[in-house]
Each structure stands twice: as structure tokens, then as C-alpha cells.
Amino acid sequence: MSPAIIFQLHLVLGYVPWLLCFGAYIWPKLKSMDQVSAQRAIATLHSFRFFGLVFIVPGVVGPNLPAGFATPAAYGDFATGLLAILALLTAKTRPLFWLFTIAFHLVGASDIIIDYYHGTQLDLPALAGQLGATYAIPIIYVPLLMITHVAAFYLLLRSQSQTARPLAADAAASTDA
């Protein structure tokens, strides 16, 4: 099997164990938590994304890792990590907490999607060996990050719809009276 095919298999299969683990252990816990606690738990995981700057450290990655992939991946992760840290630091100031929480989810999910796009455009699978020590990041860490962004968006939207239902019922009741 070629290294490119192995890398592509790794990318796809990286989601399988995380989805199984997430569904069995993490998701039930997140759903049982209040909205702020669940988002803080997810933000804690994402606060380590400053580590993505490693994509631009010479010697850690190969010299032929395309800058068109490495630079946006590094700074997208860094921005997401900082926003997640700001969300954690502002947990007691709810408007700021929600602002930073939504921001880190939007920036973080966009970063991953953009990285997948750049990786495809630049044929990263053929250059996977240039990832060097960072090879495990897209295979092991990124799937969990993306899964938690999707879960967080679901929790945010669920919260909004649950808030809207009582308001709609109140509005309907007041027009009936």
C-alpha cells in the first residue's frame, strides 16, 4: 500500500474510534450537564490547540511540508486555542463567555474544514511523511476536535430551540387570552 493510501485510511479511520468512544462515554455526560459546564468541558479540550503552531517549527515537520497547508493550519489552531482559553477565563461573565465560545467553535470548525481543503488541494497524502512528528495530529487529535465542534453546535442549537419553545407557548397563550 502506498503511503498516500495509508494516510487517507488513517484520516478516515481516525474518526471511527473517537465516534465510538464519544457516543458511549462523552456524549451522554455532555448531554446531562448544564449548557455552560458542557461548553467549558469542550473549551478545555480546545484550549490545547495552541499546539498546532508546531506545523511551522522546522525540524519537527519536514522541509517540504507545503506552507499553504502548514501556515493556515498552525495559525488557525493557535487562534482557536486562544479563543477557547478566553472562553474559559470569562466563564463568570456570561455574555463574554458565550461570545468567545461561539467564536472558538466557528473559527475552530472552519480551520479544520479549510485544512482538509488545503490538504486535498496540495496533495498532502502524497507528502504525509513531511508531517514528521506532527503526523498524529490529523489522525488522532483532529477527529475528536471536529466531533466536539459538531456536538457543541448541536448543544447550542438545542438550547436555543428549548428556549424558543416556552417563549412561543407564552406568546400563543397571551393571544388566546
Side-chain angles (χ1 to χ4, degrees), residues 12-174:
V12 172
L13 292 176
Y15 279 86
V16 175
W18 276 123
L19 284 168
L20 293 170
C21 177
F22 191 83
Y25 303 106
I26 302 169
W27 184 236
K29 180 69 175 167
L30 285 175
K31 285 193 323 186
S32 72
M33 298 167 89
D34 68 87
Q35 181 71 262
V36 172
S37 296
Q39 294 294 340
R40 286 179 68 201
I42 295 169
T44 301
L45 172 68
H46 288 267
S47 69
F48 287 92
R49 286 181 69 172
F50 65 85
F51 184 71
L53 285 172
V54 75
F55 284 119
I56 55 174
V57 177
V60 176
V61 296
N64 296 321
L65 183 65
F69 169 79
T71 303
Y75 289 109
D77 275 344
F78 183 59
T80 302
L82 289 179
L83 289 167
I85 290 168
L86 288 170
L88 291 169
L89 290 172
T90 60
K92 293 192 185 302
T93 309
R94 290 302 201 261
L96 283 176
F97 170 76
W98 289 117
L99 173 73
F100 289 125
T101 296
I102 291 167
F104 95 75
H105 286 305
L106 289 173
V107 171
S110 298
D111 171 55
I112 292 170
I113 293 166
I114 290 167
D115 292 345
Y116 280 140
Y117 173 78
H118 286 151
T120 301
Q121 294 297 79
L122 298 167
D123 198 18
L124 188 61
L127 302 168
Q130 293 298 311
L131 287 166
T134 68
Y135 186 92
I137 293 172
I139 305 306
I140 297 172
Y141 191 42
V142 169
L144 179 60
L145 296 175
M146 191 57 155
I147 290 166
T148 57
H149 280 310
V150 171
F153 286 131
Y154 174 81
L155 291 171
L156 287 166
L157 292 172
R158 183 184 76 173
S159 172
Q160 291 300 318
S161 68
Q162 288 175 347
T163 302
R165 267 189 244 130
L167 292 176
D170 290 344
S174 67

Side-chain angles (χ1 to χ4, degrees), residues 1-8 125-126 128-129 135:
M1 228 183 297
S2 75
I5 290 178
I6 293 170
F7 181 71
Q8 290 169 328
Y135 186 92

